[in-house]
Amino acid sequence: MTVEHMSILDLSEEDFGLRSTLDACVKCTICETQCPVARVTDLFPGPKFVGPQGERYRKDGQIVDSSIDYCSSCGTCTLVCPQGVKVAEINHHARTAMKEAKGISLRDKLIARTTFMGKVMTPVAPIANWALGVKPIRIITEAVIGIHRSAPMPVAQTRTFESWFKKHTPLPNAGTNGQQVIFFHGCAGEYFEVETSIHSVQVLEHLGYEVLVPPHGCCGLALQSNGLYDDARKYVSRLSNDLRAANRDALIVTASGSCGGMLKHEAKDILRMDTPELNDVSVRTRDICEFLMDLYDEGTLDLNFQHMDLTIPYHAPCQLKSAGMGMPAVELMGLIPGVKVVESGQPCCGMAGTYGVKKEKYDIAQAVGQPVFDFIKQVNAELAACDTETCRWQLRTATGANVVHPIWLIHKAYGLS
């Protein structure tokens, strides 16, 4: 499909209401004032300009303004729109049409294959981590591939989460409440943020659940973000079937806010997927902090937490906020005696999945994240919390703090090891 023929107005009314939301835009500019990218660079004129406003020109055959490529897809514009306009979704489709017309770069194809990266790096983790820290290698990588020399990189682990899970001995409480949950780790939780996945399983077992981990792979979010829609749909379909293979009635719990968001709404809103398999896993998927707060609301969460004298800065990732669940992590960590949680109040840390590693967007990503960096350094320069993996990589690199998933704190407060 060419750029000239890509128009949201060509979509049917059933396609997620994009057509019906377009004309609801009253040009109030709230999305413009809240956009974290537009506030730091003139290269991006703002979500209203390239979204609802630009789309009206695109329907007349005008070429998509290339500035739309600087949209980070944080979703803030849709979240704050008082008229319910699907601004981020309109922008996403238009940007993908532009990328397809121009051709998707090798760099974008490579960084979207997170499972491949994990499989390659894990067997040689010490060497891979060393290489990613060598400046000349990073300079060459920037010149050849287009990944910025200073961009945050994942830390390879010497074992995968699934290999740990197969060998681990469940905690004594595991299965005592007679209920099963399926743990969805995501590719980063499988290869890079293994500790977070382990802590999640141990907390769930401590609470009496039998945890099932069917072999599964990537949700396809990075592919979607880089315009590879067809490949992303294949990943979502495969993942849906893999997760359903374990227990068709059990809830699916994830410690990856972005991967959970992909199953809960992005595959439907962006990829326009509407399959029985996806719908099934979508309604059963819970963020782990959301799941634990549901238990608290029901009066079944174990509140026997150890006292921790701690003030912890917390940043809610934009992808998690776009899921519309609020900030359950703030409430959850606040249940620990002695813990004071301070929320950043910022829309985005700048990383936005793979956005912040790209050479041409790195400086923008750093500028977007600067208020969050400053916030962490002011509140607690040693320890902070954030729900998604790539955001933690960004914040760790920029601040030097140990940035953990909120489940790390819960795991510690339960006295688990």
Side-chain angles (χ1 to χ4, degrees), residues 330-383:
V330 172
E331 299 176 80
L332 181 64
M333 291 186 290
L335 295 175
I336 303 171
V339 170
K340 178 184 178 182
V341 184
V342 184
E343 200 270 318
S344 72
Q346 296 297 323
C348 184
C349 74
M351 189 63 172
T354 59
Y355 183 92
V357 307
K358 299 176 181 180
K359 178 175 66 175
E360 71 278 13
K361 298 182 175 77
Y362 173 80
D363 288 339
I364 296 173
Q366 293 298 299
V368 168
Q370 193 62 53
V372 187
F373 309 157
D374 293 341
F375 158 77
I376 290 174
K377 292 175 182 177
Q378 290 166 6
V379 177
N380 187 335
E382 296 182 358
L383 182 69

Side-chain angles (χ1 to χ4, degrees), residues 108-363:
D108 288 4
K109 291 178 181 178
L110 286 174
I111 62 176
R113 308 285 176 175
T114 45
T115 300
F116 173 75
M117 291 168 56
K119 288 182 177 179
V120 169
M121 293 173 68
T122 300
V124 292
I127 297 174
N129 293 331
W130 169 81
L132 289 174
V134 176
K135 206 63 172 180
I137 294 177
R138 294 294 301 273
I139 292 172
I140 293 171
T141 302
E142 178 183 303
V144 175
I145 300 178
I147 297 174
H148 196 278
R149 67 188 69 182
S150 301
M153 288 287 114
V155 176
Q157 306 297 312
T158 55
R159 61 176 177 177
T160 66
F161 164 70
E162 286 191 7
S163 67
W164 171 86
F165 184 79
K166 289 176 182 177
K167 298 177 181 179
H168 99 290
T169 301
L171 298 183
N173 279 2
T176 55
N177 69 6
Q179 298 182 60
Q180 294 180 330
V181 292
I182 299 166
F183 181 66
F184 166 36
H185 49 65
C187 47
E190 165 73 348
Y191 295 105
F192 304 115
E193 297 288 312
V194 175
E195 181 184 65
T196 296
S197 296
I198 292 173
H199 286 173
S200 300
V201 167
Q202 291 179 332
V203 166
L204 292 168
E205 290 181 342
H206 172 77
L207 294 173
Y209 290 92
E210 178 186 356
V211 181
L212 309 178
V213 183
H216 61 273
C218 180
C219 69
L221 178 60
L223 291 163
Q224 171 192 287
S225 298
N226 285 281
L228 298 162
Y229 280 13
D230 289 341
D231 288 343
R233 291 186 184 104
K234 293 175 184 177
Y235 275 57
V236 172
S237 295
R238 184 161 57 242
L239 175 62
S240 298
N241 287 324
D242 288 343
L243 293 175
R244 295 178 80 237
N247 182 332
R248 297 287 176 89
D249 298 316
L251 290 179
I252 300 166
V253 180
T254 182
S256 175
S258 54
C259 296
M262 182 65 168
L263 290 183
K264 293 174 77 170
H265 69 97
E266 289 212 24
K268 298 177 183 180
D269 294 346
I270 303 297
L271 298 179
R272 294 182 266 174
M273 294 184 68
D274 185 18
T275 66
E277 295 79 16
L278 174 60
N279 291 335
D280 174 41
V281 299
S282 175
V283 298
R284 288 194 283 137
T285 298
R286 302 287 186 276
D287 175 80
I288 193 163
C289 294
E290 176 189 26
F291 177 76
L292 296 182
M293 283 307 300
D294 284 345
L295 297 184
Y296 173 76
D297 292 339
E298 296 167 1
T300 57
L301 179 66
D302 177 10
L303 296 178
N304 187 27
F305 294 121
Q306 297 178 2
H307 185 279
M308 300 173 67
D309 187 12
L310 175 68
T311 296
I312 186 163
Y314 168 74
H315 175 67
C318 49
Q319 290 173 320
L320 184 129
K321 285 185 284 193
S322 67
M325 70 178 73
M327 299 184 190
V330 172
E331 299 176 80
L332 181 64
M333 291 186 290
L335 295 175
I336 303 171
V339 170
K340 178 184 178 182
V341 184
V342 184
E343 200 270 318
S344 72
Q346 296 297 323
C348 184
C349 74
M351 189 63 172
T354 59
Y355 183 92
V357 307
K358 299 176 181 180
K359 178 175 66 175
E360 71 278 13
K361 298 182 175 77
Y362 173 80
D363 288 339

